[in-house]
Amino acid sequence: MSTTGNHTIRFFKGEQIPVELHKVRMVQKLNLKPIDERLKAIEEGGHNTFLLKTEDIFLDMLTDSGVNAMSDNQVSSMLRADDAYSGSQSFYRMEAALRDVFGKEHILPAHQGRAAENIISKVFIKEGDIIPTNYHFTTTKAHMELNGGKVVEIFGDEALVIKSDYPFKGNIDVKKFEQLIEKYGADRIPFIRLEASTNLIGGQPFSIANMREVKKVADKHKIMIVLDASLIGENAWFIKQREEEFANHSIQDILLTMCKFADLVYFSSRKVTSTRGGGLCTDDKEIYMKLRDLIPLYEGFLTYGGMSVREIEAMAIGLYETTDETVISQSPAFIKYAVDELDQAGIPVVTPAGALGCHVDAMNFLSHVPQEEYPAGALASALFIISGCRGMERGTISSERDEKGNDILADMELLRLAFPRRVFTLSQTKFVIDRLLWLYENRELVGGLKFVEEPPVLRFFLGRLTATSDWPVKLVEKFKADFGDSL
Ligand SMILES: *Cc1c(COP(=O)(O)O)cnc(C)c1O
């Protein structure tokens, strides 16, 4: 199926750069608007990049969710979609793909990843339960807490070290898992959650060796393992690259091995493939039956689950493509290029390069901005103003407040620049690197942000902020002076 998985090609004179192993057959025009218009757009969006309109954006690096480029095979599969409320052939093709790729027998559809999280939380979590995990994800935590659970992160010492060469920062600290069981008792732990390519700490993978250790302890105490497989393809790719035992295994084989450790696998198809949707997979009939009855209530009938049949068809093809090294390694190769270039230029970024995006350490980049003034949010706003590139704040704004109304300061203040699969070219990647270099030189000009409108739950999506001074205007003036134009 795949010719080579290696996008990073050595040039005649020794330089190594990622080369696109695909051709572009449909394009979308982009706008690079003048800096004054970008400033106006971010002010109207409350300095929240979620509230920008794509018409004002040059490179949209907000997320990898639902924005990977579809393949020709995916698009053509959508034409044969079988419209039916129940029993659609499209669903059975997706079911077969999930059985092949994840190796699980019983399949349930969900309209996206968080919908699966809602169902899992409703079925398995009761008031006062503890849910250990390598690291939380925003929507996961919200659903678990809404159902009375408490999420406890049991990552290892290396997980939060920004500059590191540790290959598996997503690993569970198994000792902490044992201590948690001792402290609360296994009855209060409905399951342990493993998140592949741990999103909020920089898309960092866990190893199969770690899964084995977790499984030993989980089995001993009869605790279920739930695998969040939203970014499983990239995690499998890193295992192949970084875990010696698997260097000669196929991605397909590694995916099956990973899923075998889990009693329940759920995923967001927005990440795994390029389509909307999601699902839940298990070999355990009892687990399946418990989850099944909530699907028609929250998602839709069992053979569409809130998705369109066109998306279901494209998802089936996308799942098989996830086993293709050429497909799955594209985004990590471009991320690695960006991370290495920025790191060499002295810009603080999370290393080693992970999945889904390049993560800039805003706490260090803007060390003069107090964490209470949201350095990652400020950096996202500043980068948009000076480049038209939209990133995402992954720091305290993405966190929440405690019972007393104080911010819970995040472990890390990251600006995430997502590299959706096969969307950006190398020259676009170089553009964003260049603008970050300029911004770093001029970082003293960037100030903080404060909330003016703050929703109580998942505030990062819809919250509005304002600059704590007129720093955005000063930044625009300096940009115009340096570049001699307004682009
Ligand atoms: C995106 C994501 C989810 C939620 O999936 P949606 O389809 O956006 O609802 C859950 N877990 C992880 C790790 C994710 O990256």
Side-chain angles (χ1 to χ4, degrees), residues 464-477:
R464 305 182 81 84
L465 301 98
T466 186
T468 53
S469 68
D470 66 347
W471 66 258
V473 177
K474 298 253 164 61
L475 193 65
V476 168
E477 281 166 10

Side-chain angles (χ1 to χ4, degrees), residues 300-312:
F301 193 74
L302 294 187
T303 55
Y304 74 89
M307 288 177 270
S308 81
V309 280
R310 279 161 202 78
E311 283 166 348
I312 290 174

Side-chain angles (χ1 to χ4, degrees), residues 64 133-137 155-172 193-208 210-211 227-239 241-243 258 331-332 335-336 339-340 348-361 394 412 414-417:
D64 58 329
T133 181
N134 44 354
Y135 207 79
H136 80 276
F137 184 70
F155 48 79
D157 295 341
E158 287 282 344
L160 305 183
V161 179
I162 301 276
K163 204 170 157 63
S164 160
D165 53 8
Y166 193 71
F168 294 111
K169 286 173 161 183
N171 278 357
I172 292 274
R193 171 179 175 275
L194 305 185
E195 182 181 311
S197 301
T198 322
N199 193 324
L200 295 192
I201 61 167
Q204 300 291 324
F206 52 67
S207 66
I208 301 249
N210 187 247
M211 290 190 98
L227 173 61
D228 180 341
S230 301
L231 295 164
I232 194 170
E234 285 79 1
N235 200 126
W237 167 252
F238 288 126
I239 285 171
Q241 300 300 303
R242 300 177 185 177
E243 196 166 359
M258 292 172 79
S331 164
I335 292 165
K336 184 171 182 337
V339 165
D340 289 352
V349 280
V350 172
T351 61
L356 83 123
C358 163
H359 296 75
V360 183
D361 174 18
R394 294 276 79 158
M412 293 170 143
L414 302 179
L415 164 61
R416 182 180 82 193
L417 299 167

Side-chain angles (χ1 to χ4, degrees), residues 65 112-114 117 137 139 193 195 199 228 230-231 268 270-271:
S65 179
Q112 59 186 89
R114 72 198 67 184
E117 289 166 344
F137 184 70
T139 55
R193 171 179 175 275
E195 182 181 311
N199 193 324
D228 180 341
S230 301
L231 295 164
S268 163
R270 302 178 64 90
K271 323 280 174 62

Side-chain angles (χ1 to χ4, degrees), residues 3 33-34 55 70 81 119 134 176 181 216 220 243 266 282 288 298 329 474 485:
T3 44
K33 290 191 170 177
E55 126 178 78
M70 277 213 209
I119 307 271
N134 44 354
K176 287 186 191 161
I181 297 169
K216 255 190 235 158
K220 187 168 150 201
E243 196 166 359
Y266 78 91
T282 180
Y288 169 80
Y298 290 102
S329 67
K474 298 253 164 61
D485 67 27

